[in-house]
């Protein structure tokens, strides 16, 4: 992609790498937990992989600047592809279990990383802002005992959790994100929940069948 030829000229230390047909996102937080989700393997997709160090270093700027909490988050991995003329930014976050707190944290991490990457791309001459953001929450489904706690949800966040687990996707609307995280400029984010089989730490995802 021409846009990443220019991106790589501007940021050679954090240059993207091209991939064909498949890409793997690895969980970045060290943990010895045996039930941890560690790898998400996407197939039937080609594009550019952005190294995790790129968003980590960008995060350092916000840490130093005393920016809002959202801007100090980052997700586990990023890859980009094309959908017609639109650039697709795919944000992936791996969690042990898709519970309310984990989902809320993943949403922050995905939102922050997409904001950081769009800021980086604004330096590139051929970037015209025609972008779509897709977030992937990859996690085990809550166990029966955990799900029973959600059957009569009291909080709006619990109701959203049930809806996401049932339908597999959710639109995080630009207007609501900008209201929540003013004065940041946002875009719509389509969030997908990818269920990892219990007892497994790796999942294979057919990108072409999800989108």
């Amino acid at each position: 992609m021409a846009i990443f030829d220019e991106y790589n000229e501007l940021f050679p230390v954090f240059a993207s790498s091209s991939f064909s047909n498949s890409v793997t996102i690895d969980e970045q937080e060290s943990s010895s937990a045996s039930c941890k989700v560690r790898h998400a393997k996407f197939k039937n997709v080609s594009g550019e992989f952005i190294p995790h160090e790129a968003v980590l270093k960008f995060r350092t700027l916000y840490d130093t600047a005393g920016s809002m909490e959202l801007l100090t988050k980052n997700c586990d991995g990023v890859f980009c592809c094309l959908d017609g003329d639109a650039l697709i930014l795919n944000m992936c976050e791996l969690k042990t279990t898709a519970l309310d707190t984990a989902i809320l944290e993943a949403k922050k991490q995905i939102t922050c990383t997409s904001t950081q990457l769009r800021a980086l791309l604004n330096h590139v001459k051929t970037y015209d802002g025609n972008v779509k953001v897709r977030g992937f929450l990859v996690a085990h489904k809550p166990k029966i005992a955990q799900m029973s706690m959600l059957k009569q949800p009291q909080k709006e966040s619990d109701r959203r959790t049930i809806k996401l687990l049932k339908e597999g996707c959710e639109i995080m609307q630009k207007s609501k994100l900008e209201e929540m995280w003013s004065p940041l400029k946002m875009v719509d984010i389509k969030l997908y929940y990818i269920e990892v089989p219990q007892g497994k730490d790796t999942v294979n995802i057919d990108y072409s069948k999800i989108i």
Side-chain angles (χ1 to χ4, degrees):
M1 286 182 250
I3 187 172
F4 284 101
D5 291 338
E6 295 181 352
Y7 167 89
N8 292 341
E9 283 188 47
L10 289 171
F11 307 108
V13 175
F14 306 124
S16 66
S17 56
S18 299
F19 65 90
S20 180
N21 298 321
S22 66
V23 63
T24 298
I25 302 298
D26 299 317
E27 201 273 336
Q28 296 297 321
E29 295 181 8
S30 59
S31 171
S32 59
S34 59
C35 61
K36 194 80 172 179
V37 176
R38 301 187 185 279
H39 313 287
K41 299 181 178 180
F42 291 83
K43 66 177 183 179
N44 291 325
V45 59
S46 298
E48 296 284 329
F49 174 78
I50 307 296
H52 191 251
E53 292 76 9
V55 291
L56 274 181
K57 290 297 184 181
F58 214 78
R59 168 183 167 177
T60 301
L61 167 65
Y62 296 118
D63 282 331
T64 305
S67 299
M68 67 174 69
E69 179 217 9
L70 180 74
L71 291 175
T72 63
K73 307 283 185 179
N74 56 269
C75 65
D76 286 316
V78 179
F79 64 94
C80 305
C81 56
L82 293 175
D83 182 5
D85 293 330
L87 178 66
I88 310 300
L89 310 182
N90 299 281
M91 312 286 147
C92 189
E93 177 60 26
L94 282 58
K95 296 291 186 189
T96 300
T97 307
L99 291 172
D100 177 41
T101 52
I103 292 174
L104 290 175
E105 181 65 13
K107 286 180 176 181
K108 289 181 182 179
Q109 292 169 290
I110 288 167
T111 301
C112 177
T113 305
S114 68
T115 302
Q116 293 171 346
L117 185 54
R118 287 188 293 110
L120 281 176
L121 291 173
N122 272 323
H123 293 79
V124 178
K125 181 173 61 177
T126 54
Y127 176 67
D128 60 3
N130 183 13
V131 65
K132 297 178 183 177
V133 178
R134 293 170 180 161
F136 294 90
L137 167 61
V138 182
H140 296 121
K141 187 176 182 179
K143 296 179 180 178
I144 294 176
Q146 295 169 320
M147 287 296 292
S148 65
M149 298 171 61
L150 296 174
K151 285 186 177 180
Q152 293 181 324
Q154 301 298 314
K155 298 185 298 183
E156 175 62 26
S157 58
D158 288 339
R159 288 190 283 273
R160 288 198 299 267
T161 294
I162 292 174
K163 189 173 187 290
L164 178 61
L165 294 177
K166 182 179 180 180
E167 298 182 3
C169 66
E170 173 189 340
I171 302 296
M172 299 164 61
Q173 296 179 340
K174 174 182 184 292
S175 58
K176 291 185 178 180
L177 290 172
E178 289 185 338
E179 180 180 353
M180 185 181 303
W181 300 108
S182 177
L184 284 173
K185 182 179 181 180
M186 297 292 188
V187 297
D188 288 343
I189 300 175
K190 189 165 187 178
L191 178 67
Y192 296 87
Y193 165 58
I194 306 296
E195 181 180 346
V196 181
Q198 291 293 340
K200 302 291 185 181
D201 68 358
T202 301
V203 64
N204 294 308
I205 304 159
D206 190 335
Y207 188 87
S208 66
K209 290 184 178 180
I210 294 175
I211 304 306

